[in-house]
Amino acid sequence: MAVLLDKPPSIASDEFQSRKWDELTADHDYGESDIPDLMTLCSWYAVLDQCMKEINAGGSTQVAYENEKGDLKPMPQIATMKQASAEIRALRKALAASPVSQTKAEKDNAGGAQTPLQKAMRRRELRLVNGGKAQRKTGT
């Protein structure tokens, strides 16, 4: 059973990360073991937000800058945004796969009917296991 997680002080002290923590944990139950991933996820979101602010400073999107030699160079924030996006995807995937993590909707539906997504996932699972033979024979 998941416990209500206290917001770590380092997250609570940063307005952006605190809001992101609240958003991420609002509809999920996470365990104590998920706290480091949640903290890291909030940090990467803050990095992404800062890069976006820097790229959009001055009211227009800057994708390149001119260095002291007059060469046009790509904004370094773009590479950082790319890395942050990859880290965010990986952490969200890891948190979704956490044995404790479950949305409130999933818990509410645990004993009831399957959602269309769950049904599709089950059909795909059967196709992978049976090579589709059982479904073709029964017409399902």
Side-chain angles (χ1 to χ4, degrees):
M1 170 110 189
V3 295
L4 183 62
L5 298 179
D6 291 328
K7 192 181 299 182
S10 62
I11 298 295
S13 66
D14 181 283
E15 184 181 337
F16 179 88
Q17 291 187 50
S18 181
R19 280 194 323 268
K20 189 52 78 172
W21 177 278
D22 293 342
E23 179 185 316
L24 292 168
T25 59
D27 292 330
H28 283 80
D29 288 326
Y30 290 108
E32 292 287 328
S33 62
D34 294 318
I35 290 175
D37 282 346
L38 285 166
M39 290 177 66
T40 305
L41 184 57
C42 289
S43 295
W44 277 115
Y45 271 116
V47 168
L48 184 64
D49 182 64
Q50 183 62 38
C51 288
M52 291 173 67
K53 286 177 183 173
E54 291 173 10
I55 286 175
N56 293 313
S60 65
T61 302
Q62 300 287 333
V63 294
Y65 71 97
E66 189 174 330
N67 68 10
E68 60 278 350
K69 295 179 183 179
D71 299 327
L72 277 179
K73 299 284 186 176
M75 296 287 284
Q77 291 88 338
I78 293 174
T80 303
M81 287 175 62
K82 185 177 178 179
Q83 180 183 0
S85 295
E87 295 293 337
I88 288 168
R89 278 191 303 277
L91 285 163
R92 290 193 70 111
K93 186 176 182 179
L95 284 166
S98 169
V100 177
S101 173
Q102 192 175 30
T103 66
K104 290 181 181 13
E106 288 170 337
K107 285 186 178 190
D108 291 345
N109 198 31
Q114 291 184 327
T115 66
L117 177 60
Q118 291 168 325
K119 288 178 185 177
M121 289 172 56
R122 179 68 179 144
R123 284 191 304 268
R124 183 174 190 278
E125 182 181 288
L126 287 172
R127 276 196 312 272
L128 292 174
V129 170
N130 299 327
K133 294 175 186 170
Q135 289 77 20
R136 284 193 297 269
K137 287 180 184 176
T138 63
T140 59

